[in-house]
Amino acid sequence: MANELTRRALLGTVAVTAITGVTTSAGAGKKSARKSLDFSDPIDNVTAYLKLRAATETRDVFMWFTGTLDLVVPGDPVRPIIAVESLILRRTERLAPLQWNVTDWEAALYRPLDSDRYLEPGEQIRNPVTGREVEPFHYREGPVRFRFSDREPRIVGSRDILPDTGRPFSYPWRIVNGDLWMTKSSYIRAPNWLTPSEFPEESSGPQIVVATHSSLRGALAEVEDPTVDAVRSDFAYTATSGWLPWMKMGSAPGFVSWAESGRKLLALDEAPTVQLAALRRHHADWFARPEPWPEFTNMYLQYKARRR
């Protein structure tokens, strides 16, 4: 199909959408008065970022992305272990002229390396570092709710609430060949849901440490179009984290390297049909509306529940 996304191509709304008089990039063919933005200004900076990441009006968009996970052990070659493909329901709620909540619900599916099929429940793969057979499981994450304004964003309503620093919103940006690029970096250190004493093989330590770097790219003309609230954007993401529970690496030295890329979709039917079918099999609750699920969950909590 013409709108079918493929993992190789990128790597080598639902009814909630409100009728506000603001159009999306999909309908931005009409000429409109373009308003130049000053990206050194916090208001223009957060407006541009939200158009790339989500939307500036109340509505749903979707983020599709895929990539690989590598195991990095000091002194050893980097070893890829698995591929992952995710779809995020990303909901913007405009609370005030300069205040938004953006909430993510993610559903992730694992693939064997160099294969387009998804893992079956209970299927095992070989950990290339330990040589053991391990069992990955498709996981969900969210809801994670970010509060955006002309100040630095913060997470609200979850366990690890970021403080309001009061610093102005200012993400790095570049304009290249008519495209706007914006980047975000973050460093997270939080108590591990799986303690080493209770889960010696599954826990990478008493704390979860994650470093992430992501980039978004979209057409500058659409970002600066006041009639466009959500710009189609491309997405690249890299991260490092501790070992995931199913890897059974315990306290071994090293870390997981994530490398993913994807695209923001303005409607669910733009996602790959094969992926949507698999999500309905493995994550049927992700399709529930008005929200997929109310309470926060992630792979650590799901692993813990599976062990009960």
Side-chain angles (χ1 to χ4, degrees):
M1 296 177 65
N3 69 345
E4 190 80 354
L5 294 171
T6 65
R7 180 164 52 96
R8 290 172 180 155
L10 270 179
L11 286 182
T13 68
V14 298
V16 173
T17 302
I19 300 175
T20 62
V22 180
T23 63
T24 68
S25 62
K30 300 177 182 178
K31 286 190 176 181
S32 59
R34 182 169 168 179
K35 178 182 178 294
S36 295
L37 298 179
D38 177 5
F39 299 108
S40 64
D41 178 85
I43 294 175
D44 286 355
N45 194 283
V46 71
T47 298
Y49 184 74
L50 281 176
K51 285 190 176 189
L52 293 174
R53 174 185 171 88
T56 54
E57 297 294 335
T58 297
R59 63 172 296 173
D60 289 356
V61 298
F62 302 88
M63 187 65 74
W64 174 89
F65 55 101
T66 188
T68 58
L69 277 60
D70 297 334
L71 305 184
V72 183
V73 176
D76 290 350
V78 174
R79 294 183 173 93
I81 184 170
I82 204 165
V84 65
E85 185 171 358
S86 291
L87 196 60
I88 291 176
L89 164 61
R90 179 162 289 164
R91 176 167 297 163
T92 300
E93 299 171 271
R94 187 179 181 186
L95 307 176
L98 271 177
Q99 191 172 89
W100 303 264
N101 280 346
V102 178
T103 308
D104 286 358
W105 289 268
E106 178 182 355
L109 300 167
Y110 283 122
R111 294 182 182 271
L113 293 171
D114 301 321
S115 173
D116 286 334
R117 70 176 184 86
Y118 301 107
L119 289 180
E120 294 297 329
E123 183 175 352
Q124 294 186 331
I125 64 170
R126 180 178 174 274
N127 182 320
V129 171
T130 65
R132 295 177 58 184
E133 294 294 311
V134 293
E135 184 183 330
F137 63 94
H138 306 307
Y139 65 92
R140 301 174 292 124
E141 183 163 319
V144 178
R145 182 168 290 109
F146 291 87
R147 175 72 50 81
F148 285 93
S149 69
D150 57 350
R151 298 188 297 189
E152 284 189 339
R154 52 199 178 100
I155 297 177
V156 295
S158 65
R159 186 191 70 169
D160 303 310
I161 298 176
L162 300 178
D164 183 354
T165 66
R167 291 192 289 264
F169 192 100
S170 181
Y171 280 0
W173 58 275
R174 289 290 185 273
I175 297 172
V176 181
N177 196 30
D179 287 335
L180 173 66
W181 294 77
M182 298 190 77
T183 60
K184 172 191 174 184
S185 299
S186 61
Y187 181 80
I188 300 170
R189 181 184 292 270
N192 197 335
W193 285 272
L194 304 180
T195 62
S197 59
E198 188 178 2
F199 297 91
E201 287 189 317
E202 296 89 346
S203 176
S204 60
Q207 292 186 315
I208 293 174
V209 181
V210 181
T212 72
H213 182 82
S214 61
S215 297
L216 289 163
R217 181 190 69 177
L220 178 63
E222 294 183 2
V223 173
E224 293 190 330
D225 187 337
T227 70
V228 174
D229 73 319
V231 174
R232 294 188 187 276
S233 59
D234 296 322
F235 171 73
Y237 173 87
T238 58
T240 58
S241 73
W243 311 122
L244 304 186
W246 57 264
M247 295 176 177
K248 301 290 186 71
M249 297 281 284
S251 60
F255 56 90
V256 180
S257 175
W258 305 65
E260 299 174 276
S261 61
R263 174 170 293 179
K264 189 173 85 179
L265 312 176
L266 301 183
L268 185 57
D269 62 8
E270 297 176 6
T273 54
V274 173
Q275 182 190 21
L276 289 175
L279 288 175
R280 291 188 186 278
R281 291 197 306 272
H282 301 294
H283 298 301
D285 50 354
W286 185 84
F287 294 89
R289 299 295 184 269
E291 60 180 5
W293 55 85
E295 300 297 328
F296 176 78
T297 187
N298 61 17
M299 74 168 68
Y300 299 91
L301 294 173
Q302 289 151 40
Y303 189 92
K304 196 171 189 178
R306 288 162 61 96
R307 285 284 305 271
R308 288 175 183 165

